[in-house]
Amino acid sequence: MRIAVVGAYGAGKTTLITAATARLGLPAAHGTPMRDPAGSRPKPLEQTTEPELIQLVVRRHAERLLAEAAHPEGFLSDGSLLHEWIYATVRLAVGLHPGSDEDPQFVTADPESPYRSVLDHLGREFVQRAVTAYDAFVHLPVEFPLSDDPPPISEHFRTLSDRLLLKTLHDTGVPLHTATGPLTSRLQTLSTLCTVER
């Protein structure tokens, strides 16, 4: 089983996967944290330039590919091959702390920006890879407030990220399951899925 556990920042992906690996006997595949762009002075993620952000997306995407390929028998992926692309697309479209407008339909790359156009085309490649990389996606909706102080992103940024993620997955038609509630409920949903799929 190759399962991607997806959701916005702080949705509980790592917590669920940590609990599930021992119970299900599947290894975890993680992407490394977004780090300083190669060849640049170390800086906070929110201060990276547009080309540096794209560089980070490509690097972490490659690292995630390698992490998942190390477990051909199956794995639980903390995020997915779409994860960094979703973050960067929302970041370039609306900024790190967007306003409180609650009714944008979805986020898309602006074709007038060369960086956003590049990111849009990378996204098409990443989506195609993701469709074949996983047997199923398990989505964790935003149910808990950010606990970071100060939070690295706004709640609205999380909402936009989740909305773009779900739209992208629905458009592909891949198997998508939702796990809600406390950890025990989410773990049961994931366990049931693995039992059925096997």
Side-chain angles (χ1 to χ4, degrees):
M1 282 293 297
R2 303 167 302 165
I3 298 178
V5 178
V6 299
Y9 179 90
K13 299 183 294 295
T14 302
T15 300
L16 176 59
I17 285 178
T18 299
T21 50
R23 179 168 176 174
L24 302 177
L26 287 172
H30 300 274
T32 58
M34 294 282 266
R35 293 198 173 96
D36 300 314
S40 299
R41 177 179 54 82
K43 64 182 73 175
L45 180 59
E46 61 270 18
Q47 293 179 11
T48 56
T49 64
E50 290 178 327
E52 287 172 336
L53 186 63
I54 291 173
Q55 180 194 42
L56 286 168
V57 168
V58 171
R59 180 198 297 171
R60 191 168 182 193
H61 182 82
E63 290 171 346
R64 190 183 292 276
L65 280 172
L66 291 173
E68 294 177 355
H71 304 290
E73 73 288 350
F75 55 81
L76 295 172
S77 186
D78 187 347
S80 74
L81 294 171
L82 300 175
H83 192 79
E84 288 72 39
W85 172 73
I86 294 288
Y87 171 86
T89 298
V90 177
R91 166 90 179 273
L92 291 184
V94 299
L96 192 60
H97 294 278
S100 59
D101 175 16
E102 295 298 330
D103 195 34
Q105 295 303 305
F106 56 90
V107 177
T108 186
D110 179 358
E112 298 301 316
S113 165
Y115 300 115
R116 292 178 183 172
S117 180
V118 166
L119 191 59
D120 186 45
H121 283 76
L122 282 175
R124 296 175 194 178
E125 177 69 22
F126 292 177
V127 168
Q128 289 303 310
R129 290 184 181 184
V131 166
T132 59
Y134 309 108
D135 298 307
F137 288 81
V138 175
H139 174 246
L140 307 184
V142 174
E143 296 183 294
F144 316 111
L146 289 168
S147 59
D148 313 63
D149 187 25
I153 58 173
S154 68
E155 290 290 353
H156 190 48
F157 187 101
R158 286 211 298 170
T159 299
L160 293 174
S161 298
D162 211 42
R163 190 171 295 163
L164 176 58
L165 171 66
L166 288 174
K167 179 185 184 305
T168 301
L169 292 175
H170 283 307
D171 286 350
T172 68
V174 297
L176 178 61
H177 308 268
T178 301
T180 61
L183 178 59
T184 52
S185 297
R186 293 176 170 200
L187 190 56
Q188 183 58 50
T189 298
L190 190 55
S191 299
T192 300
L193 173 62
C194 287
T195 301
V196 170
E197 292 291 334
R198 286 178 178 172

Coordinates of all heavy atoms in Angstrom, one line a residue, residues 155-194:
E155 N -4.5 31.5 9.3 CA -5.5 30.5 9.1 C -6.1 30.5 7.7 O -6.5 29.5 7.1 CB -6.6 30.7 10.2 CG -6.2 30.3 11.6 CD -6.0 28.9 11.8 OE1 -6.3 28.0 10.9 OE2 -5.5 28.5 12.9
H156 N -6.2 31.8 7.2 CA -6.8 31.9 5.8 C -5.8 31.2 4.8 O -6.3 30.6 3.8 CB -7.0 33.4 5.5 CG -7.7 33.6 4.2 ND1 -8.9 32.9 3.9 CD2 -7.5 34.4 3.2 CE1 -9.4 33.3 2.8 NE2 -8.5 34.2 2.3
F157 N -4.5 31.3 5.0 CA -3.6 30.7 4.1 C -3.8 29.2 4.2 O -3.8 28.5 3.1 CB -2.1 31.0 4.5 CG -1.1 30.5 3.6 CD1 -0.4 31.4 2.7 CD2 -0.7 29.2 3.6 CE1 0.5 30.9 1.8 CE2 0.3 28.7 2.7 CZ 0.9 29.6 1.9
R158 N -4.0 28.6 5.3 CA -4.3 27.2 5.5 C -5.6 26.8 4.7 O -5.6 25.8 4.0 CB -4.5 26.8 6.9 CG -3.2 26.8 7.7 CD -3.3 25.7 8.8 NE -4.3 26.0 9.8 CZ -4.7 25.1 10.8 NH1 -4.1 23.9 10.8 NH2 -5.6 25.4 11.7
T159 N -6.6 27.7 4.8 CA -7.9 27.4 4.1 C -7.7 27.4 2.6 O -8.1 26.5 1.9 CB -8.9 28.4 4.5 OG1 -9.2 28.4 5.9 CG2 -10.2 28.2 3.7
L160 N -6.9 28.3 2.1 CA -6.7 28.4 0.7 C -5.8 27.2 0.2 O -6.1 26.6 -0.9 CB -5.9 29.7 0.3 CG -6.7 31.0 0.5 CD1 -5.8 32.2 0.2 CD2 -7.9 31.0 -0.4
S161 N -4.8 26.8 1.0 CA -4.0 25.7 0.6 C -4.9 24.4 0.6 O -4.7 23.6 -0.4 CB -2.9 25.5 1.7 OG -2.0 26.6 1.7
D162 N -5.7 24.2 1.6 CA -6.5 23.0 1.6 C -7.5 23.0 0.4 O -7.8 21.9 -0.2 CB -7.3 23.0 2.9 CG -7.6 21.6 3.4 OD1 -6.7 20.7 3.3 OD2 -8.7 21.3 3.9
R163 N -8.0 24.2 0.1 CA -9.0 24.3 -1.0 C -8.3 23.9 -2.3 O -8.9 23.2 -3.2 CB -9.6 25.7 -1.1 CG -10.7 25.8 -2.0 CD -11.4 27.2 -1.9 NE -12.0 27.3 -0.5 CZ -12.3 28.5 0.0 NH1 -12.1 29.6 -0.6 NH2 -12.9 28.5 1.2
L164 N -7.1 24.4 -2.6 CA -6.4 24.1 -3.8 C -6.0 22.6 -3.8 O -6.1 21.9 -4.9 CB -5.1 24.9 -3.9 CG -4.2 24.7 -5.1 CD1 -5.0 24.8 -6.4 CD2 -3.0 25.6 -5.1
L165 N -5.6 22.0 -2.7 CA -5.3 20.6 -2.6 C -6.5 19.8 -3.0 O -6.4 18.9 -3.9 CB -4.8 20.3 -1.2 CG -4.6 18.8 -0.9 CD1 -3.5 18.2 -1.7 CD2 -4.4 18.6 0.6
L166 N -7.6 20.0 -2.4 CA -8.8 19.2 -2.7 C -9.3 19.4 -4.1 O -9.7 18.4 -4.8 CB -9.9 19.6 -1.7 CG -9.7 19.2 -0.3 CD1 -10.8 19.7 0.6 CD2 -9.7 17.6 -0.2
K167 N -9.2 20.6 -4.6 CA -9.6 20.8 -6.0 C -8.7 20.0 -7.0 O -9.2 19.3 -7.9 CB -9.6 22.3 -6.4 CG -10.0 22.5 -7.9 CD -9.8 24.0 -8.3 CE -10.3 24.2 -9.7 NZ -9.7 23.3 -10.7
T168 N -7.4 20.1 -6.7 CA -6.5 19.4 -7.6 C -6.7 17.9 -7.5 O -6.7 17.2 -8.6 CB -5.0 19.7 -7.1 OG1 -4.8 21.1 -7.2 CG2 -4.0 18.9 -8.0
L169 N -6.9 17.3 -6.3 CA -7.2 15.9 -6.2 C -8.5 15.4 -6.8 O -8.6 14.4 -7.5 CB -7.1 15.5 -4.7 CG -5.7 15.5 -4.1 CD1 -5.8 15.2 -2.6 CD2 -4.7 14.6 -4.7
H170 N -9.5 16.2 -6.6 CA -10.8 15.9 -7.2 C -10.8 15.9 -8.7 O -11.4 15.1 -9.4 CB -11.9 16.9 -6.7 CG -12.4 16.6 -5.3 ND1 -12.9 15.3 -4.9 CD2 -12.5 17.4 -4.2 CE1 -13.2 15.4 -3.6 NE2 -13.0 16.6 -3.2
D171 N -10.0 16.9 -9.3 CA -9.9 17.0 -10.7 C -9.2 15.8 -11.3 O -9.4 15.4 -12.5 CB -9.1 18.2 -11.1 CG -9.9 19.5 -10.9 OD1 -11.1 19.4 -10.7 OD2 -9.3 20.6 -11.0
T172 N -8.3 15.1 -10.6 CA -7.6 13.9 -11.1 C -8.5 12.7 -11.0 O -8.2 11.7 -11.7 CB -6.3 13.7 -10.4 OG1 -6.6 13.3 -9.0 CG2 -5.4 14.9 -10.4
G173 N -9.4 12.6 -10.1 CA -10.2 11.5 -9.9 C -9.6 10.4 -9.1 O -10.0 9.2 -9.1
V174 N -8.5 10.7 -8.4 CA -7.8 9.6 -7.6 C -8.6 9.3 -6.4 O -9.5 10.1 -5.9 CB -6.4 10.1 -7.1 CG1 -5.5 10.4 -8.3 CG2 -6.5 11.4 -6.3
P175 N -8.5 8.1 -5.8 CA -9.2 7.7 -4.6 C -8.8 8.6 -3.5 O -7.7 8.8 -3.1 CB -8.7 6.3 -4.3 CG -8.2 5.8 -5.6 CD -7.6 7.0 -6.3
L176 N -9.8 9.3 -2.9 CA -9.6 10.2 -1.8 C -10.5 9.9 -0.6 O -11.7 9.8 -0.8 CB -9.9 11.7 -2.3 CG -9.8 12.8 -1.3 CD1 -8.4 12.9 -0.8 CD2 -10.2 14.1 -2.0
H177 N -9.9 9.7 0.5 CA -10.7 9.4 1.7 C -10.4 10.5 2.8 O -9.4 11.2 2.7 CB -10.2 8.0 2.3 CG -10.2 6.9 1.3 ND1 -11.3 6.1 1.1 CD2 -9.3 6.6 0.4 CE1 -11.0 5.3 0.2 NE2 -9.8 5.5 -0.3
T178 N -11.4 10.7 3.7 CA -11.2 11.7 4.7 C -11.2 11.1 6.1 O -12.0 10.2 6.4 CB -12.4 12.7 4.6 OG1 -12.4 13.3 3.3 CG2 -12.2 13.8 5.6
A179 N -10.2 11.6 6.9 CA -10.1 11.1 8.2 C -10.3 12.3 9.2 O -9.6 13.3 9.0 CB -8.8 10.5 8.5
T180 N -11.3 12.3 10.0 CA -11.6 13.4 10.9 C -11.6 13.0 12.4 O -11.5 11.8 12.7 CB -13.0 13.9 10.6 OG1 -14.0 12.9 10.8 CG2 -13.1 14.4 9.1
G181 N -11.7 14.0 13.2 CA -11.9 13.7 14.6 C -10.5 13.6 15.3 O -9.5 13.9 14.8
P182 N -10.6 13.0 16.5 CA -9.3 12.9 17.3 C -8.4 11.8 16.7 O -8.8 11.1 15.8 CB -9.8 12.4 18.7 CG -11.2 11.8 18.4 CD -11.8 12.6 17.3
L183 N -7.2 11.7 17.2 CA -6.3 10.8 16.6 C -6.8 9.3 16.5 O -6.5 8.6 15.5 CB -5.0 10.8 17.5 CG -3.8 9.9 17.0 CD1 -3.4 10.1 15.6 CD2 -2.7 10.0 18.0
T184 N -7.5 8.9 17.6 CA -8.0 7.5 17.5 C -8.9 7.3 16.4 O -8.9 6.2 15.7 CB -8.7 7.2 18.9 OG1 -9.7 8.2 19.1 CG2 -7.7 7.1 20.0
S185 N -9.8 8.2 16.1 CA -10.7 8.1 14.9 C -10.0 8.1 13.6 O -10.3 7.4 12.7 CB -11.7 9.2 15.0 OG -12.5 9.2 16.1
R186 N -9.0 9.0 13.5 CA -8.2 9.1 12.3 C -7.4 7.8 12.0 O -7.3 7.3 10.9 CB -7.3 10.3 12.3 CG -8.0 11.6 12.3 CD -7.1 12.8 12.5 NE -7.7 14.1 12.2 CZ -7.1 15.2 11.9 NH1 -5.8 15.2 11.8 NH2 -7.8 16.3 11.7
L187 N -6.9 7.3 13.1 CA -6.1 6.1 13.0 C -7.0 4.9 12.6 O -6.6 4.0 11.8 CB -5.4 5.8 14.3 CG -4.4 4.7 14.4 CD1 -3.3 4.9 13.4 CD2 -3.8 4.5 15.8
Q188 N -8.2 4.8 13.1 CA -9.1 3.8 12.7 C -9.5 3.9 11.2 O -9.6 2.9 10.5 CB -10.4 3.9 13.6 CG -11.4 2.7 13.3 CD -10.8 1.4 13.5 OE1 -10.2 1.1 14.5 NE2 -10.9 0.5 12.5
T189 N -9.7 5.1 10.7 CA -10.0 5.3 9.3 C -8.9 4.8 8.4 O -9.1 4.1 7.4 CB -10.3 6.8 9.0 OG1 -11.4 7.2 9.8 CG2 -10.5 7.0 7.5
L190 N -7.7 5.1 8.8 CA -6.5 4.7 8.1 C -6.3 3.2 8.1 O -6.0 2.6 7.1 CB -5.3 5.4 8.6 CG -4.0 5.3 7.8 CD1 -4.2 5.8 6.4 CD2 -2.9 6.1 8.5
S191 N -6.5 2.6 9.3 CA -6.4 1.2 9.4 C -7.4 0.4 8.6 O -7.1 -0.6 8.0 CB -6.5 0.8 10.9 OG -5.6 1.4 11.7
T192 N -8.6 0.9 8.6 CA -9.7 0.3 7.8 C -9.4 0.3 6.3 O -9.5 -0.6 5.6 CB -11.0 0.9 8.1 OG1 -11.4 0.8 9.5 CG2 -12.1 0.3 7.3
L193 N -8.9 1.5 5.9 CA -8.5 1.6 4.5 C -7.4 0.6 4.1 O -7.5 0.0 3.0 CB -8.0 3.1 4.2 CG -7.5 3.3 2.8 CD1 -8.5 3.1 1.8 CD2 -6.9 4.7 2.8
C194 N -6.4 0.5 4.9 CA -5.3 -0.4 4.6 C -5.8 -1.9 4.6 O -5.4 -2.7 3.7 CB -4.2 -0.3 5.6 SG -3.3 1.2 5.5

